[in-house]
Amino acid sequence: MSKNAIDIKGLKKVYRGRGGAEDKVALTGIDLEIPRGSMFGLLGPNGAGKSTTINILAGLVNKTEGSASIWGFDIDQNPRNARANIGIVPQELMFDAFFTPREMLEVQAGMYGVPKAERRTEELLKAVHLLDKADAYSRSLSGGMKRRLLVAKALVHNPPVLVLDEPTAGVDIELRQQLWDYVRELHARGTTVVLTTHYLEEAEELCDTIAIINHGEVVCCEPTEQLLKRIDEKEIVITLAETLDGVPNALRSFKAHVRDAHRVAVQISQADANVGEVLAAVQAAGLTITDIATDETDLEDIFLQLTSSQGEAA
Ligand code: ADP
Ligand code: MG
């Protein structure tokens, strides 16, 4: 038995272009191991191939090449067992608008062959804060409620692996917190959780391991802490009262460049400098700081950093 919840090997997907459109390579042949018990983040910008990966596991998209197994069951050789071990919350809110949440969970449980006595409809509705909407038409639910209903639906057969594809899309902040609390609780009780996101902060906050995917390739896959150490570079922008005609001498030893007549940007990484040292140098030079801002690290920066550091290592 594999110790991984999910094993992906050489997975490739080419969407065939129809009516003269060009073929689209969505996955180039990726390897990915998702350990049992982990809270795993699949992080990447829009179009990276996250949903394609998830939808192949869900049996919604046919792969072009490679293999995948879930809880040790190959999706081709053992599709029933593979499916029984995973619950997937798709990115798209696909709904039968005329079912109520209660009916939807019952139908889903029926499809997975869960005996009536073992169904957890009430418990699940309560867990996702939808008990008061149990008998409302699903089409009357808000986007956030629909998302939570899909989480409940993914759990009717009590799978050991839960996958959430961009779960925060359309979910407001308060309900997002409730959703995360519930996901964390499931994880604490032993469920392996996989989520895709294009927000670094989200993956950083929730996941113990992060794989970054870009243009259908896995760029890296490592413990969150280790990854964050590698991408700790930030830019601070210092506004000075004085007019600049170049990088002030005091900042020559840092990675600094002039933004405009009053602003200078400094790249800092914990490995070689900290904000305090930069500010001390500016003040020691007798310059007057009128404002300081930091830029959030965005995914594009991270890819650049990761790919350039790989280049150096090679
Ligand atoms: P992500 O979920 O990371 O945003 P997707 O897996 O949805 O990325 O898409 C990966 C790439 O495959 C994108 O370039 C997207 O346009 C393309 N793609 C996705 N689904 C289809 C499809 N059904 N037909 C053709 N191209 C598709
Ligand atoms: Mg997607």
Side-chain angles (χ1 to χ4, degrees):
M1 255 297 167
S2 171
K3 64 185 187 321
N4 292 319
I6 293 174
D7 280 296
I8 288 173
K9 266 216 127 12
L11 194 65
K12 182 171 179 177
K13 175 63 190 178
V14 182
Y15 289 105
R16 295 290 166 207
R18 296 216 176 83
E22 280 188 29
D23 288 355
K24 172 78 207 174
V25 180
L27 295 174
T28 56
I30 61 166
D31 294 339
L32 202 57
E33 292 183 3
I34 300 182
R36 294 187 182 199
S38 62
M39 179 87 118
F40 192 96
L42 190 56
L43 176 69
N46 286 324
K50 303 182 295 296
S51 292
T52 299
T53 307
I54 302 309
N55 290 339
I56 290 170
L57 295 174
L60 297 171
V61 165
N62 290 323
K63 61 187 163 58
T64 307
E65 270 174 34
S67 65
S69 52
I70 300 164
W71 218 251
F73 298 106
D74 187 280
I75 59 168
D76 291 331
Q77 284 153 31
N78 229 324
R80 280 177 72 92
N81 283 327
R83 248 186 311 131
N85 282 288
I86 197 166
I88 291 180
V89 184
Q91 179 174 358
E92 304 295 332
L93 296 171
M94 290 175 291
F95 265 92
D96 197 327
F98 295 97
F99 278 132
T100 68
R102 191 195 303 281
E103 287 166 347
M104 197 135 100
L105 298 191
E106 286 292 322
V107 168
Q108 183 79 357
M111 268 168 38
Y112 276 92
V114 182
K116 277 246 180 337
E118 287 171 27
R119 293 191 188 167
R120 304 180 301 144
T121 303
E122 298 290 317
E123 180 196 326
L124 285 171
L125 287 170
K126 183 153 177 259
V128 297
H129 302 273
L130 283 177
L131 213 43
D132 57 335
K133 296 279 177 190
D135 302 307
Y137 279 134
S138 293
R139 64 176 169 193
S140 71
L141 303 181
S142 72
M145 290 174 180
K146 284 180 180 155
R147 181 80 53 194
R148 285 180 287 137
L149 177 56
L150 288 178
V151 173
K153 190 179 165 199
L155 292 170
V156 294
H157 57 298
N158 211 7
V161 187
L162 175 67
V163 181
L164 303 131
D165 193 2
E166 305 260 356
T168 42
V171 180
D172 67 52
I173 293 193
E174 190 189 334
L175 295 176
R176 187 177 300 189
Q177 212 48 58
Q178 287 179 4
L179 180 64
W180 290 148
D181 288 347
Y182 183 51
V183 168
R184 281 201 181 96
E185 190 186 317
L186 287 168
H187 179 247
R189 284 195 266 141
T191 305
T192 302
V193 177
V194 183
L195 64 94
T196 79
T197 178
H198 56 272
Y199 298 114
L200 173 65
E201 285 72 23
E202 197 162 271
E204 192 180 320
E205 195 193 320
L206 290 160
C207 301
D208 52 45
T209 312
I210 296 177
I212 297 185
I213 180 169
N214 194 25
H215 298 305
E217 265 179 86
V218 174
V219 183
C220 72
C221 177
E222 55 196 78
T224 306
E225 221 173 294
Q226 195 177 317
L227 177 71
L228 292 177
K229 276 201 196 117
R230 289 214 281 149
I231 55 177
D232 67 351
E233 195 152 288
K234 284 208 167 64
E235 186 174 71
I236 52 170
V237 179
I238 304 169
T239 308
L240 297 166
E242 292 78 11
T243 305
L244 297 166
D245 54 6
V247 173
N249 281 330
L251 293 179
R252 286 275 154 84
S253 61
F254 300 96
K255 278 194 253 171
H257 60 270
V258 172
R259 276 278 179 91
D260 55 39
H262 289 279
R263 293 188 309 155
V264 59
V266 185
Q267 305 287 337
I268 53 168
S269 71
Q270 277 151 30
D272 50 52
N274 65 49
V275 184
E277 287 173 46
V278 173
L279 299 184
V282 173
Q283 278 167 334
L287 298 166
T288 316
I289 298 171
T290 61
D291 195 19
I292 301 167
T294 59
D295 278 355
E296 298 265 337
T297 351
D298 72 25
L299 273 179
E300 278 309 318
D301 293 342
I302 292 170
F303 294 136
L304 283 175
Q305 286 181 39
L306 289 173
T307 34
S308 65
S309 59
Q310 272 169 6
E312 278 162 28

